Amino acid sequence: MENEFERIKRLPPYVFSEVNSLKAKLRSAGKDIIDFGMGNPDMPTPEHIRRKLQETVDKPGTGRYSSSKGIPGLRKAQAKYYKRRFNVSLDPETEVIVTLGSKEGLANLAQAITSPGDIILTPNPSYPIHPYGFIIAGASLRHLTAMDEGIFNQELFLEKLDRSIRHSVPSPKAIIVSFPSNPTAQIVDLGFYEEVVKIGIKYNTYILSDLAYAEIYYDNNPPPSILQVKNAKKIAVEFTSLSKTYSMAGWRIGFAVGNKSLISALTRIKSYLDYGAFTPIQVAAAAALNGPQDCVSEIRNTYKKRRDVLISSMSRSGWIIPEPKASMFAWAPIPKLFQKKGSLGFAKDLMLKASVAVAPGLAFGEYGEGYVRIGLVENEHRIRQAAKNVKKLLG
Ligand SMILES: Cc1ncc(COP(=O)(O)O)c(C=O)c1O
């Protein structure tokens, strides 16, 4: 019966599900699996944000339907964040929308703007909703890879992007960019966005930027926003999220900001689909953005310490992993001994023989093969333990 629906047929079995079911099986047999598999933050949401939620829940009327585009106070808080962090001015009425996590926003924007036969350019490897949001919406995808020995190469990407657009008939409807990248952790500079915006304007192609890891960076090098580029608002929207910045993944609050036609299309489609997040969650989200930001530095520092422990302890175990400059992931080449097994085979071996779960690179697209993604979602002690287990495996 599963194969009777055309749209479902276009969704391949989630590669994660194979790894996840093995993990569940081992856990139910009593195995302690050190789980770096999902980008699911383990740190608690900061206390003042939780308190704000609790206070607001007790106020009258908060159980009513909320506003599908987000309460004004939260949209204003997001506009203020863009002003202080990127010096980008946004009109909270027409250039900001609250989404039920950025994933929902990306998927519904794809529904809102896609016509049958539209071409979308997406990087590969990438976070699955980038291609699949558009596949579900009925678009045709062109994958852009610019990996050079597993490392993202900005110049190569721009060259390929320009070439792909020139040879696409009709011109692509949209390009997706997402840096710091999940899964590769690669970052870009403002010069990269300047070129992407130039190309987008030249070919009348929208740009969707996903900046989920805006605040998860190391080495004092905050990732830029595409909206810092002059004229970017003519063609670009950007998605951000509270999931990682404030460890609020389960709260489901994200944003899209920028180009008015895209924000208006997303607002329109969402007005048919949802009533917005629970109001107290939105009030607490505004408190997160407007309140003290030292909690963000603490979260960032915790990821940084874990990154340092991961890179150094794995290297002592014989697994050399490049140091990520941002995001909550390390993108690790499969050790020589296991290369023939591919990323799925290696991920299974790691789980079965070292009790360590990672995400196989193949889950993020064919050009992710040869790598696994390690999420910094276990504490330092467990990272060290994982490295000991890996040492035995690599023997
Ligand atoms: C690049 C990227 N975009 C979006 C998301 C989803 O974020 P949200 O929780 O806001 O839906 C993730 C989550 O891992 C991500 O890595």
Side-chain angles (χ1 to χ4, degrees):
M1 291 296 274
E2 198 179 287
N3 285 336
E4 87 188 272
F5 305 116
E6 283 307 316
R7 210 163 274 198
I8 302 303
K9 273 194 232 166
R10 297 187 74 198
L11 301 176
Y14 220 42
V15 178
F16 288 114
S17 58
E18 219 173 302
V19 181
N20 287 342
S21 57
L22 179 60
K23 186 162 56 191
K25 205 168 115 192
L26 291 172
R27 278 191 171 146
S28 67
K31 267 248 177 236
D32 174 24
I33 302 291
I34 302 173
D35 194 355
F36 303 121
M38 264 187 88
N40 196 356
D42 60 316
M43 287 173 245
T45 303
E47 191 178 347
H48 68 281
I49 305 172
R50 287 184 276 133
R51 290 284 162 269
K52 191 66 176 179
L53 173 73
Q54 286 164 351
E55 270 168 35
T56 317
V57 166
D58 287 334
K59 296 204 168 140
T62 51
R64 306 189 75 188
Y65 289 127
S66 195
S67 153
S68 125
K69 66 188 232 185
I71 59 172
L74 182 51
R75 283 183 278 116
K76 278 186 202 147
Q78 175 69 348
K80 274 198 224 153
Y81 162 71
Y82 260 77
K83 188 69 199 169
R84 75 172 176 263
R85 169 72 163 80
F86 303 113
N87 198 23
V88 167
S89 303
L90 295 168
D91 175 355
E93 266 314 299
T94 55
E95 296 177 328
V96 179
I97 182 171
V98 180
T99 60
L100 306 172
S102 54
K103 193 175 183 184
E104 178 270 326
L106 281 155
N108 277 326
L109 184 62
Q111 293 292 339
I113 69 172
T114 305
S115 315
D118 275 351
I119 295 171
I120 307 294
L121 300 178
T122 65
N124 185 314
S126 70
Y127 180 60
I129 197 65
H130 297 157
Y132 286 107
F134 280 97
I135 284 188
I136 294 167
S140 300
L141 293 190
R142 287 257 175 106
H143 293 280
L144 286 174
T145 184
M147 302 307 277
D148 204 355
E149 303 269 309
I151 307 290
F152 177 78
N153 180 325
Q154 268 185 216
E155 283 70 38
L156 197 58
F157 181 85
L158 290 168
E159 239 179 78
K160 287 197 176 175
L161 177 61
D162 192 62
R163 200 171 339 129
S164 280
I165 296 198
R166 269 190 282 120
H167 295 299
S168 290
V169 180
S171 267
K173 173 67 76 60
I175 308 162
I176 300 171
V177 288
S178 182
F179 301 98
S181 161
N182 174 9
T184 66
Q186 292 298 313
I187 49 174
V188 292
D189 52 33
L190 199 53
F192 171 81
Y193 288 137
E194 277 162 5
E195 293 306 315
V196 176
V197 168
K198 243 190 246 165
I199 294 173
I201 291 179
K202 181 167 164 196
Y203 295 100
N204 214 7
T205 295
Y206 285 119
I207 303 163
L208 278 46
S209 164
D210 179 353
L211 188 53
Y213 299 96
E215 302 306 328
I216 313 298
Y217 57 88
Y218 315 115
D219 312 335
N220 286 332
N221 191 13
S225 155
I226 196 167
L227 297 181
Q228 288 172 256
V229 177
K230 199 168 162 238
N231 290 330
K233 274 200 237 166
K234 284 189 179 167
I235 38 141
V237 281
E238 189 157 74
F239 291 85
T240 54
S241 169
L242 300 195
S243 294
K244 314 294 156 70
T245 308
Y246 300 96
S247 236
M248 289 173 70
W251 297 51
R252 312 308 301 131
I253 294 288
F255 301 89
V257 305
N259 180 270
K260 284 184 187 165
S261 335
L262 292 176
I263 296 298
S264 153
L266 181 55
T267 306
R268 181 79 166 268
I269 204 160
K270 275 174 65 62
S271 74
Y272 281 83
L273 296 173
D274 69 66
Y275 288 109
F278 183 41
T279 300
I281 288 185
Q282 295 194 56
V283 172
L289 286 168
N290 290 332
Q293 299 299 304
D294 38 342
C295 55
V296 179
S297 319
E298 276 166 32
I299 289 171
R300 185 185 300 131
N301 284 339
T302 302
Y303 284 129
K304 184 171 192 280
K305 280 194 233 146
R306 289 176 180 182
R307 174 200 70 164
D308 293 345
V309 170
L310 178 84
I311 302 303
S312 58
S313 62
M314 287 297 177
S315 129
R316 283 194 298 276
S317 297
W319 193 4
I320 307 299
I321 300 173
E323 185 183 76
K325 302 274 178 259
S327 87
M328 57 192 286
F329 304 108
W331 184 238
I334 303 177
K336 262 213 169 73
L337 208 63
F338 291 84
Q339 275 169 2
K340 279 205 186 109
K341 297 203 157 189
S343 60
L344 185 56
F346 176 57
K348 284 183 182 169
D349 269 7
L350 263 186
M351 186 129 56
L352 285 164
K353 299 175 189 164
S355 300
V356 169
V358 296
L362 188 61
F364 306 96
E366 61 180 297
Y367 298 109
E369 188 48 286
Y371 287 76
V372 294
R373 188 195 72 179
I374 303 175
L376 300 170
V377 289
E378 292 271 19
N379 65 33
E380 291 171 42
H381 170 72
R382 285 180 58 87
I383 295 172
R384 285 197 187 92
Q385 182 58 51
K388 279 185 199 150
N389 300 358
V390 164
K391 188 171 190 174
K392 278 191 211 140
L393 177 69
L394 298 186

